[in-house]
Amino acid sequence: MLLFLFLFFDSFTSQFQSRMFQRHRDLSMVELMFATSAFSTVLSLVTLIHSNELQPALRFVMDHSEIHLHFLLFSICSTIGQLFIFYTIKNFGAVVFTIIMTTRILLSIALSCILYGHEVSATGFFGLMLVMGAVLYRIRRKAQGQQLLKWQG
């Protein structure tokens, strides 16, 4: 169920961002990043309050001042990564971004298998081949200039 939800929202997010850039031509990457971050902040705050984890989290941050440097570095890297993501979606579309991210994940799995000797079961290998086939199909359709899905209405 969690994997299904991840795939659904991951697919929805890049498509939604692409549609936002198409509908609002004057929307900048920074504005979209601010809106996304503001929504994420509110959602995280509500989750922390609801699960009674806000106090322990704040206490941990106050007790371990060395974490502030890690927050800063993580924020800088995250911001740069988000700008690259929005740049790709805005200029090349959500399909190209999805292809890039899927290829990155497949390469990461392959490197993990090679470097650390992780084994992939027959079912896992079938899943990887299925994903690779879908990526190659998308690349072929994109190269032919065809839409992957044709929406009615």
Side-chain angles (χ1 to χ4, degrees), residues 1-13 105:
M1 178 69 163
L2 289 176
L3 183 59
F4 172 76
L5 289 172
F6 167 75
L7 291 172
F8 174 77
F9 285 113
D10 192 50
S11 298
F12 169 78
T13 302
I105 291 169

Side-chain angles (χ1 to χ4, degrees), residues 36-49:
T36 304
S37 297
F39 179 77
S40 296
T41 300
V42 170
L43 185 63
S44 296
L45 182 63
V46 168
T47 303
L48 285 171
I49 291 171

Side-chain angles (χ1 to χ4, degrees), residues 20-40:
M20 291 296 291
F21 283 128
Q22 288 173 356
R23 283 191 181 166
H24 306 283
R25 299 272 183 213
D26 59 336
L27 180 66
S28 75
M29 295 181 296
V30 174
E31 290 171 328
L32 187 59
M33 185 168 49
F34 176 78
T36 304
S37 297
F39 179 77
S40 296

Side-chain angles (χ1 to χ4, degrees), residues 92-107:
F92 302 106
V95 173
V96 172
F97 173 70
T98 304
I99 290 169
I100 291 169
M101 293 308 292
T102 305
T103 305
R104 181 190 67 83
I105 291 169
L106 287 173
L107 289 174

Side-chain angles (χ1 to χ4, degrees), residues 79-128:
T79 301
I80 292 169
Q82 278 299 116
L83 288 173
F84 278 123
I85 289 170
F86 290 149
Y87 178 82
T88 303
I89 291 172
K90 186 174 185 174
N91 293 303
F92 302 106
V95 173
V96 172
F97 173 70
T98 304
I99 290 169
I100 291 169
M101 293 308 292
T102 305
T103 305
R104 181 190 67 83
I105 291 169
L106 287 173
L107 289 174
S108 180
I109 291 170
L111 279 174
S112 176
C113 290
I114 292 168
L115 293 176
Y116 301 109
H118 295 152
E119 304 225 357
V120 179
S121 66
T123 306
F125 188 74
F126 174 74
L128 289 172

